């Protein structure tokens, strides 16, 4: 509520005075320190890298009042950050120290199906899973999380998620901020509700199950509304929407522009100037923020009742939207939620350098071997209440571990059309690929121009994507495609494909 009032003042000021005067007065709003997830300990011999992961339980403090039972990987809440180079052979030992079965899935990684960590690679309590794969893709901000059948939502909510960063020579030569925790920061955005005893409150009713679990408190790397003390003029944020369900519409409170440099699958061809963007669960996005002005911008989420899917807004559009959201400010849906603040008062101003070109994507035209359609459906009303049929389906079928829905040929290209017949947006995710969006309603812009493994499909929308499948084959072990709203995935909006 405080943030709302401050926001109204800022916007009112923005209407009256030139933009650069808007933040004449700044103050630190948040008191929690920004936490950088530690990098995983690894041992290396040549191109072989070894990670030792322990899926564990523990306790975390999100407020002074109580301790919350949480899960994490090598720490009490969330995972340590994995880091490897293109060309590395990664060996991961995952020990499950929980008292229930789990999995760890490497989201966005191109890899053999057996190494994917999906529902077909469960790790029983006290068991160990040893997996390995070669990193064949370019530098990117990927992530990892539990993918336990029917329990992904709950396990991720409990804390089973972390970042997986890939580096390569091409990205290192660009001079981008890349000093982890110094000018290059992981930003895992999630939200949680709490019970009176401090434990996380997960599903409490039909709305949580239908819309997916949203929460009242926003966490960044497991900390409520932290302040990031910047020491450099240009900082790189590797944002991950690790929420169970919420789609964020992010921008800074002072409407400052920044550069989007990467999408799910890695760097864009060139930086894109923007003042805001839409960010669905499962997606990643990297931005460069110039904080040489020494101010204290707050990254905010503007929840919207109307659909703002194409939100690479210009500064004026974003301002206009603020004003509009004031005018229509009658319900929760148009509220402003603070995510975190950057405190740049200690920064010694420097002229920042932003490369005009980043990397070249391989856009060669390929023969299309198959076209497939995926229709997302959700039952509402009587049928689902009575439990007559599966509430969430793709092409009329709910996830079945025994059924392979599609067979794909390795090293071929396909076009998949994802069709949303429901009243809400669904972020559709496909394992083992980084695809390009070919067509959607409206223009493809911003991070949607880059490589994607998750794409938000709006109600009534059809999105066409182009997939190039890597060389790995395995007729018996499927990969998943699914809605990344975890309660939809757990509820059946998931299917399987094998690559042969
Ligand atoms: Cu991020 Cu199949 O998952
Ligand atoms: Cu995935
Ligand atoms: Cu969904």
């Amino acid at each position: 509520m405080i943030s709302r009032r401050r926001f109204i003042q800022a916007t009112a000021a923005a209407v009256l005075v030139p933009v650069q005067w808007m933040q004449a007065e700044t103050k630190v709003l948040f008191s929690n320190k920004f936490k950088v997830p530690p990098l995983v300990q690894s041992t290396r011999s040549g191109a072989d890298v070894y990670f030792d992961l322990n899926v564990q339980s523990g306790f975390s403090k999100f407020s002074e009042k109580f301790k919350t039972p949480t899960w994490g990987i090598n720490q009490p809440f969330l995972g340590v950050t994995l880091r490897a180079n293109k060309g590395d052979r990664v060996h991961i030992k995952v020990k499950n120290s929980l008292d229930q079965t789990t999995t760890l899935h490497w989201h966005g990684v191109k890899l053999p199906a057996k190494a994917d960590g999906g529902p077909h690679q469960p790790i029983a309590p006290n068991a160990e899973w040893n997996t390995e794969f070669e990193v064949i893709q370019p530098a990117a901000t990927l992530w990892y999380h539990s993918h336990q059948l029917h329990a992904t939502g709950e396990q991720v909510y409990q804390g089973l998620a972390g970042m997986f960063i890939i580096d390569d020579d091409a990205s290192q030569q660009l001079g981008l901020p890349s000093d982890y925790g110094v000018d290059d920061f992981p930003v895992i955005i999630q939200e949680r509700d709490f019970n009176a005893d401090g434990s996380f409150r997960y599903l409490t009713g039909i709305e949580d199950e239908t819309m997916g679990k949203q929460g009242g408190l926003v966490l960044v790397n497991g900390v409520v509304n932290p302040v990031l003390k910047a020491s450099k003029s240009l900082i790189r944020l590797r944002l991950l929407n690790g929420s169970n369900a919420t789609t964020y519409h992010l921008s800074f409170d002072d409407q400052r522009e920044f550069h989007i440099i990467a999408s799910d699958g890695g760097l864009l061809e060139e930086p894109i100037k923007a003042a805001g963007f839409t960010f669905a669960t499962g997606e990643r996005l990297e931005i460069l923020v110039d904080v040489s002005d020494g101010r204290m911008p707050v990254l905010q989420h503007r929840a919207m009742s109307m659909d703002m899917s194409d939100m690479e807004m210009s500064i004026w559009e974003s301002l206009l939207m603020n004003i509009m959201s004031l005018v229509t400010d009658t319900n929760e849906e148009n509220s402003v939620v603070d995510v975190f603040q950057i405190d740049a008062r200690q920064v010694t101003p420097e002229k920042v350098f932003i490369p005009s070109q980043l990397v070249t994507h391989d856009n060669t035209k390929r023969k299309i071997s198959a076209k497939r359609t995926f229709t997302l459906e959700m039952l509402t009303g009587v049928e689902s209440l009575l439990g007559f049929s599966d509430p969430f389906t793709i092409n009329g079928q709910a996830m079945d571990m025994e059924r392979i829905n599609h067979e794909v040929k390795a090293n071929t290209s396909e076009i998949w059309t994802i069709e949303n017949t429901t009243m809400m947006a669904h972020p559709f995710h496909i394992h083992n690929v980084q695809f390009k969006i070919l067509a959607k309603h409206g223009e493809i812009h911003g991070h949607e121009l880059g490589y994607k493994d998750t794409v938000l499909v709006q109600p009534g929308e059809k999105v066409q994507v182009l997939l190039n499948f890597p060389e790995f084959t395995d007729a018996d072990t499927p990969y998943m495609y699914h809605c990344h709203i975890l309660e939809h995935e757990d509820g059946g909006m998931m299917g399987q494909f094998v690559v042969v």
Side-chain angles (χ1 to χ4, degrees):
M1 290 307 107
I2 292 161
S3 70
R4 171 103 216 124
R5 190 171 317 119
R6 198 173 43 72
F7 163 69
I8 290 169
Q9 286 164 355
T11 312
V15 179
L16 300 171
V17 301
V19 174
Q20 63 268 30
W21 297 349
M22 261 172 55
Q23 255 204 350
E25 181 198 308
T26 49
K27 57 179 184 297
V28 177
L29 295 163
F30 308 132
S31 52
N32 293 323
K33 205 169 161 271
F34 189 91
K35 185 172 178 238
V36 179
L39 286 169
V40 66
Q41 303 283 345
S42 60
T43 50
R44 178 180 279 279
S45 97
D48 289 287
V49 205
Y50 299 83
F51 299 142
D52 235 325
L53 302 184
N54 180 30
V55 186
Q56 61 164 94
S57 61
F59 289 92
S60 304
K61 260 186 137 16
F62 298 98
S63 102
E64 278 314 306
K65 285 195 296 258
F66 41 59
K67 274 203 309 197
T68 304
T70 51
W71 291 357
I73 298 103
N74 296 11
Q75 56 179 5
F77 184 60
L78 299 180
V80 289
T81 299
L82 309 187
R83 197 149 194 174
N85 304 316
K86 182 179 180 186
D88 280 351
R89 181 137 201 106
V90 172
H91 306 254
I92 312 176
K93 183 168 97 186
V94 185
K95 163 98 207 275
N96 180 8
S97 300
L98 301 173
D99 58 8
Q100 55 181 280
T101 303
T102 190
T103 78
L104 280 189
H105 162 60
W106 324 110
H107 177 130
V109 181
K110 299 178 184 178
L111 76 191
K114 278 203 165 53
D116 192 40
H120 291 273
Q121 290 87 40
I123 317 168
N126 288 312
E128 235 175 63
W129 178 52
N130 284 283
T131 190
E132 55 174 83
F133 53 87
E134 192 190 327
V135 179
I136 62 164
Q137 65 204 89
T141 300
L142 310 175
W143 66 303
Y144 65 100
H145 59 80
S146 155
H147 216 303
Q148 178 62 22
L149 190 72
H150 302 313
T152 298
E154 192 169 7
Q155 296 197 350
V156 170
Y157 199 76
Q158 212 43 50
L160 299 190
M163 275 212 176
F164 194 153
I165 297 173
I166 294 178
D167 301 298
D168 67 5
D169 294 344
S171 71
Q172 248 132 37
Q173 277 154 23
L174 289 168
L176 296 169
S178 52
D179 204 347
Y180 187 79
V182 177
D183 57 12
D184 180 352
F185 299 94
V187 181
I188 305 175
I189 304 173
Q190 299 176 308
E191 51 193 45
R192 294 293 183 272
D193 282 330
F194 293 85
N195 294 310
D197 64 357
S199 59
F200 284 144
R201 186 166 75 225
Y202 189 45
L203 304 181
T204 51
I206 187 85
E207 192 186 331
D208 288 346
E209 280 162 54
T210 317
M211 308 300 289
K213 177 62 190 173
Q214 309 201 319
L217 268 189
V218 175
L219 307 182
V220 172
N221 299 338
V223 179
V224 181
N225 292 142
V227 192
L228 168 64
K229 283 219 191 315
S231 58
K232 294 281 163 62
S233 288
L234 187 66
I235 61 173
R236 174 188 196 166
L237 302 177
R238 298 174 183 261
L239 300 147
L240 156 65
N241 183 343
S243 275
N244 279 42
T246 309
T247 295
Y248 297 108
H249 305 283
L250 297 175
S251 55
F252 286 101
D253 62 338
D254 61 1
Q255 282 79 49
R256 72 178 53 212
E257 291 187 292
F258 46 83
H259 287 89
I260 302 177
I261 56 165
S263 58
D264 299 337
L267 293 167
L268 303 175
E269 300 205 273
E270 52 198 45
I272 293 169
K273 218 185 227 181
F277 55 89
T278 294
F279 196 36
T281 154
E283 288 186 310
R284 286 87 58 213
L285 193 132
E286 293 180 33
I287 62 175
L288 297 180
V289 190
D290 179 349
V291 292
S292 57
D293 59 9
R295 290 186 173 160
M296 280 161 279
V298 179
L299 188 70
Q300 297 178 320
H301 159 49
R302 285 184 177 74
M304 270 163 289
S305 49
M306 63 184 167
D307 169 41
M308 296 299 298
S309 59
D310 294 320
M311 261 223 348
E312 255 61 53
M313 298 178 300
S314 73
I315 187 162
W316 295 112
E317 286 167 323
S318 126
L319 216 69
L320 186 68
M321 270 195 31
N322 289 351
I323 295 162
M324 275 165 47
S325 81
L326 281 182
V327 177
T328 56
D329 180 25
T330 44
N331 57 35
E332 271 269 298
E333 303 228 296
N334 278 308
S335 62
V336 176
V337 181
D338 291 332
V339 178
F340 78 110
Q341 184 173 31
I342 302 170
D343 176 357
R345 287 174 303 175
Q346 305 303 315
V347 167
T348 323
E350 277 169 321
K351 177 116 188 64
V352 304
F353 164 73
I354 296 175
S356 57
Q357 297 294 312
L358 296 168
V359 291
T360 24
H361 292 173
D362 175 9
N363 294 319
T364 42
K365 279 244 180 301
R366 291 192 172 79
K367 179 176 158 284
I368 303 302
S369 312
K371 292 188 177 182
R372 305 173 200 267
T373 302
F374 299 81
T375 305
L376 312 181
E377 288 153 326
M378 236 171 115
L379 281 188
T380 43
V382 206
E383 300 121 301
S384 81
L385 281 176
L386 296 178
F388 279 162
S389 35
D390 298 303
F392 303 98
T393 55
I394 299 174
N395 294 339
Q397 293 178 311
M399 166 72 182
D400 178 350
M401 291 280 276
E402 305 303 318
R403 183 180 56 233
I404 305 292
N405 302 82
H406 296 275
E407 194 176 287
V408 165
K409 291 210 167 49
N411 289 314
T412 64
S413 300
E414 298 199 356
I415 291 176
W416 289 15
T417 303
I418 305 117
E419 190 178 357
N420 181 358
T421 63
T422 77
M423 306 267 287
M424 65 180 289
H426 302 273
F428 192 79
H429 168 54
I430 309 168
H431 288 206
N432 189 40
V433 283
Q434 291 294 337
F435 53 76
K436 279 287 182 92
I437 302 174
L438 290 180
K440 53 175 285 213
H441 289 182
E443 201 198 328
I444 303 161
H445 55 182
H447 64 121
E448 295 192 324
L449 287 164
Y451 287 114
K452 301 283 296 160
D453 55 50
T454 307
V455 60
L456 188 63
V457 189
Q458 295 293 340
E461 193 180 29
K462 274 186 200 172
V463 173
Q464 242 184 27
V465 301
L466 171 67
L467 313 107
N468 298 325
F469 290 94
E471 71 250 28
F472 314 110
T473 56
D474 184 339
D476 303 316
T477 315
Y479 297 99
M480 306 295 129
Y481 53 84
H482 56 90
C483 174
H484 220 285
I485 292 177
L486 302 180
E487 290 68 34
H488 293 181
E489 172 191 333
D490 285 338
M493 199 179 275
M494 176 155 72
Q496 315 196 87
F497 69 99
V498 288
V499 182
V500 295

